């Protein structure tokens, strides 16, 4: 009886220790202030299309002419490719307006919500199915 109890407790603790790191990796609310949103206009310096997270590096010039180098964290390439993004959607020199949740540390970093290209497109597209089709697209009959 006692050995069954010890085995059960050991199993529960073991499973708990294996699962906890899965939640720690995606601690968005810890690193970013998800209750606040900032909007920044800038110029792309680098578009990072790589696992585990894509990123946009961009320069923002303030009212006094000072340039601040910002970084925006996005999801993984597979998920983003289903929302209208691709490896070649951005290039250095592109002007963008970025909206996202700022870093809690005050660093010039944010978790991207969306960005607007110079042509007015807003990405990532929201109403998209996993296969890239628009949610309101109806199958042909």
């Amino acid at each position: 009886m006692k050995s069954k109890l010890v085995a059960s407790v050991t199993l529960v603790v073991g499973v708990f220790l294996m699962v906890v790191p899965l939640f720690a990796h995606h601690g968005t609310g810890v690193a970013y202030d998800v209750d606040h949103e900032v909007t920044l206009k800038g110029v792309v310096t680098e578009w990072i299309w790589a696992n585990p997270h894509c990123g946009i590096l961009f320069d923002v010039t303030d009212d006094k002419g000072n340039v601040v180098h910002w970084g925006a964290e996005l999801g993984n390439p597979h998920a983003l490719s289903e929302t209208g993004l691709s490896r070649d959607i951005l290039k250095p020199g592109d002007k963008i307006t970025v909206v996202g949740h700022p870093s809690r540390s005050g660093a010039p970093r944010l978790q991207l919500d969306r960005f607007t290209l110079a042509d007015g497109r807003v990405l990532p597209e929201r109403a998209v199915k996993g296969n890239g089709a628009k949610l309101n697209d109806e199958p042909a009959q």
Side-chain angles (χ1 to χ4, degrees), residues 47-60:
W47 169 228
I48 302 164
W49 184 262
N51 280 314
H53 297 278
C54 295
I56 304 172
L57 302 181
F58 60 103
D59 288 344
V60 175

Side-chain angles (χ1 to χ4, degrees), residues 2-17:
K2 188 174 181 181
S3 64
K4 284 185 178 182
L5 177 62
V6 170
S8 295
V9 169
T10 302
L11 178 65
V12 168
V13 169
V15 168
F16 178 76
L17 290 174

Side-chain angles (χ1 to χ4, degrees), residues 69-80:
H69 308 292
W70 277 81
E73 182 178 339
L74 292 80
N76 67 70
H78 175 73
L80 293 173

